[in-house]
């Protein structure tokens, strides 16, 4: 059951050593939220360590807290430390960081598929981003939001709601964004930093767009990131799915990504269909219009199984 904002503040106050983490393959929301929370806790004199079991995309290094993120191999477990898991539904989603967590756990998240596993939880499925939840908490706590924290939180919110285009954008989302701009966030610099690309990446995009396949009479669009395709896209393939979703007549867009001979990572986006249910059928989850899962199948087989499951839900 959810704690109150006051309970959360009391928990933070009672600890000196705090570990912060978020889901593997961290996105803007995970990293912006980590940055801002780390910044605030450090300003209170807390000893904070931020751990992620994955590589961080370079474009996020513009945010203070992202440059000091360490891998789990560099950290030892400590029973007396508070662990805070942001933007993740369960312990599996944080990869090897789970093994470092032997003490109490706080979870701040907005996924409908949240597993309710923490000692203290604050789950707000009405919020578009974990960054939106944190902004509200900071406001309730009357915590000072520095321009660096404001930028990180605005980036967190904007990336999870497609820069205020997706259906999860509410009046509250916009109010929190407005609060952050007043605290020093710079929307133009944030979008420029995230949109900035290289000639190689732009050419990779042109090639990837050639690979889009249609299914179910044009209501489903998919992109396969085989090992060969990943040679020119690199490992970070998160942005491409939005192009497939834009197609007229398409409700569900997906990507299937080679991660090993028997491991395929799936991302799902939709305009209407509940893709959390589809990802849930394979042990994953997420949100109604954005979800993910991993299938223990080779890429081609995974794609076929996935398309069948999507068709059932159309
Ligand atoms: P992705 O396609 O990986 O960007 O994920 C879309 C959304 O679903 C994000 O909010 C993820 O955090 C969430 N998500 C992805 N995979 C899982 C999973 N296995 N379990 C729960 N949530 C997930
Ligand atoms: Mn996320
Ligand atoms: Mn999120």
């Amino acid at each position: 059951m959810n704690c109150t904002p006051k309970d959360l503040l009391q928990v933070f106050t009672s600890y000196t050593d705090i570990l912060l983490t978020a889901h593997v393959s961290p996105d803007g929301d995970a990293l912006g939220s980590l940055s801002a929370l780390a910044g605030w806790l450090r300003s209170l004199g807390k000893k904070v360590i931020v751990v992620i079991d994955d590589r961080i995309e370079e474009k996020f290094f513009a945010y203070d807290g992202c440059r000091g993120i360490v891998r789990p191999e560099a950290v030892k477990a400590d029973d007396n430390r508070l662990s805070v898991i942001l933007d993740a539904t369960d312990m599996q989603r944080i990869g090897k960081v789970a093994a470092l967590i032997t003490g109490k756990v706080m979870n701040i998240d907005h996924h409908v598929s949240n597993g309710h596993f923490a000692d203290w939880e604050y789950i707000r499925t009405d919020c578009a981003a974990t960054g939106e939840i944190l902004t509200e908490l900071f406001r309730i706590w009357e915590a000072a939001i520095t321009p660096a924290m404001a930028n990180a939180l605005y980036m967190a919110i904007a990336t999870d709601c497609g820069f205020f285009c997706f259906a999860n954008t509410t009046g509250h989302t916009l109010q929190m964004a407005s609060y952050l701009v007043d605290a020093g966030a710079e929307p133009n610099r944030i979008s420029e930093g995230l949109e900035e690309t290289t000639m190689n990446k732009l050419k990779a995009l042109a090639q990837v767009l050639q690979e889009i396949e249609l299914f179910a009479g044009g209501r489903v669009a998919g992109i396969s990131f085989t090992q060969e395709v990943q040679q020119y896209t690199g490992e970070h393939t998160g942005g491409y799915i939005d192009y497939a979703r834009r197609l007229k007549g398409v409700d569900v867009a997906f990507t299937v990504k080679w991660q090993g001979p028997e491991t395929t990572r799936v991302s799902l986006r939709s305009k209407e269909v509940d893709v959390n249910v589809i990802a849930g059928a394979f042990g994953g989850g997420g949100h109604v219009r954005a979800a993910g899962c991993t299938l223990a199948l080779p890429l081609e087989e995974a794609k076929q199984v996935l398309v069948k499951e999507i068709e059932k839900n159309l």
Side-chain angles (χ1 to χ4, degrees), residues 102-113:
T102 50
K104 296 272 194 183
V105 180
M106 180 192 291
N107 181 213
I108 302 177
D109 185 32
H110 66 126
H111 291 95
V112 285
S113 58

Side-chain angles (χ1 to χ4, degrees), residues 23 87 89 93 111 113 265 267-269 284-287 290-293:
H23 61 82
D87 200 39
T89 50
R93 287 283 289 154
H111 291 95
S113 58
R265 172 75 203 162
S267 282
L268 292 154
R269 302 287 184 273
H287 310 285
C293 55

Side-chain angles (χ1 to χ4, degrees), residues 22-31 86-88 93 109-111 129-130 156 159-160 287:
H23 61 82
V24 290
S25 197
D27 52 14
D29 187 25
L31 294 168
L86 298 178
D87 200 39
R93 287 283 289 154
D109 185 32
H110 66 126
H111 291 95
T130 301
T159 50
D160 254 23
H287 310 285

